[in-house]
Amino acid sequence: MPSRSALAFILLLISPVPLAQPLSAQTLLAQAALPREPYGQFLRVKVNTGERSRLTVKKNWLGKRRLNPTVPILVLAGHADSQRMGGAGTSGYAVAVKGAPPMQPGMTDEAFWNLKTAHRIAKLGRQRGLNIRFYDPGVRTIRNADDPRTNWSTGRRHVQAGGYALEIHYDAYGRDGIGSGVIPRVYGGQTVVDEHLAKEFGSFPYDFRGVLGAPRRGITMLEVGKLEGDLENKLRNPGTRDGALNTLADRVVHTIAQALGVPKPFSQVPAPPALPANRATARQQPSPPPRIPLPPAIN
């Protein structure tokens, strides 16, 4: 008579339950075959950019020039090349009023957030299907405005070659700030992108402060909002910073894509791949019971 251990081994061999479940392997293969998440699947937080430009009522331009959906777009960070000199950008409410340390020594908080936001716009823009890139001069103090490395010089060359250039800014806090809005390019004429951004964020007159240096060179400026309140708090808080940058950048990207008529990309999740049947297991499955006809209905 076989021992208990031998009986257990024999029962294990003839058991109809497989040692490995095919469903688990199929699930793993299906997960490996999934595409990357479609555009729009990223962390966001609600951000209040504050009041829109109070000069929106004085808008004296209309962006009608159409651009090709594949137009090369250059995103610039305002004041990225003018630190430690006049025109370095606002320090923001937290630093100037509350005495908080700047986000990076030797740089205004506006320049810091301009760089972060412009870079995020380019990143999300590429995912959205835009022909977009970010330019960083790399040198934070360039006193000669006509130096070929500056935002102005690089943006002007880009526009002259047929591209569209957008420089990101944050407005001053308190009464010195005017609010979110677009200061459109003058050289090359205002475009449908400028018009759509104005509807989303507000606007400034094209000749604001006698036509600024960037618009004079064909570069549109976007004031995202005054660097104060909920906007500044969400950016400075490490727990909400990434989501806030995504939210702000997505507003810009979505608006540009709409203006250019770029269709929103989509992804279809493929069906799980079919695995070959486990023949050994299939032979062990019991056959289904015979169907028993139902009795005739009684009227």
Side-chain angles (χ1 to χ4, degrees):
M1 186 175 188
S3 62
R4 290 185 177 181
S5 59
L7 283 173
F9 181 73
I10 294 171
L11 290 174
L12 186 62
L13 287 177
I14 65 174
S15 173
V17 180
L19 295 178
Q21 296 293 329
L23 183 60
S24 299
Q26 187 174 11
T27 302
L28 291 175
L29 287 176
Q31 291 176 349
L34 290 178
R36 295 182 61 185
E37 289 181 334
Y39 177 81
Q41 302 301 316
F42 45 78
L43 175 66
R44 294 186 186 90
V45 296
K46 187 176 180 180
V47 182
N48 182 0
T49 52
E51 61 182 319
R52 289 160 63 95
S53 166
R54 59 178 179 265
L55 299 180
T56 299
V57 295
K58 297 184 178 182
K59 183 173 180 284
N60 58 358
W61 54 274
L62 180 63
K64 298 188 295 183
R65 182 175 178 180
R66 296 194 174 276
L67 301 173
N68 192 293
T70 61
V71 62
I73 301 170
L74 182 68
V75 186
L76 308 162
H79 310 293
D81 52 12
S82 59
Q83 295 304 291
R84 298 180 178 178
M85 56 181 282
T90 182
S91 56
Y93 182 87
V95 174
V97 179
K98 299 179 67 176
M103 295 302 301
Q104 182 171 320
M107 180 186 297
T108 64
D109 270 21
E110 184 192 351
F112 180 87
W113 295 121
N114 290 344
L115 285 161
K116 294 291 186 183
T117 307
H119 181 270
R120 190 64 58 91
I121 289 171
K123 178 182 177 181
L124 295 188
R126 287 191 296 272
Q127 294 179 18
R128 177 64 173 79
L130 300 179
N131 181 13
I132 189 170
R133 66 183 178 90
F134 165 62
Y135 173 72
D136 183 350
V139 180
R140 295 291 172 246
T141 306
I142 306 177
R143 299 188 182 277
N144 180 9
D146 292 324
D147 187 298
R149 299 169 296 175
T150 63
N151 279 357
W152 285 358
S153 296
T154 304
R156 178 174 55 188
R157 291 193 303 270
H158 182 78
V159 173
Q160 289 175 341
Y164 177 83
L166 179 67
E167 189 175 72
I168 301 301
H169 288 261
Y170 284 84
D171 202 11
Y173 62 92
R175 294 181 179 179
D176 292 334
I178 296 176
S180 67
V182 171
I183 308 172
R185 72 184 200 177
V186 174
Y187 173 80
Q190 290 85 45
T191 72
V192 292
V193 175
D194 304 322
E195 191 68 28
H196 275 69
L197 288 171
K199 291 178 181 178
E200 176 67 21
F201 289 93
S203 64
F204 291 69
Y206 78 87
D207 53 351
F208 176 66
R209 294 180 180 170
V211 184
L212 297 174
R216 193 183 300 274
R217 292 165 173 81
I219 304 166
T220 293
M221 300 171 62
L222 173 62
E223 299 281 0
V224 176
K226 296 167 69 171
L227 201 52
E228 62 183 10
D230 184 67
L231 172 60
E232 185 181 33
N233 293 336
K234 292 285 176 59
L235 288 172
R236 290 183 68 92
N237 184 344
T240 57
R241 181 175 305 157
D242 189 61
L245 286 170
N246 284 339
T247 299
L248 298 171
D250 183 54
R251 282 182 65 188
V252 177
V253 168
H254 179 74
T255 303
I256 294 175
Q258 278 194 325
L260 296 177
V262 178
K264 190 170 183 179
F266 64 93
S267 295
Q268 292 181 344
V269 179
L275 295 179
N278 188 328
R279 296 179 179 177
T281 304
R283 284 197 300 267
Q284 297 169 2
Q285 296 298 328
S287 57
R291 296 182 60 184
I292 302 175
L294 296 176
I298 299 176
N299 296 326

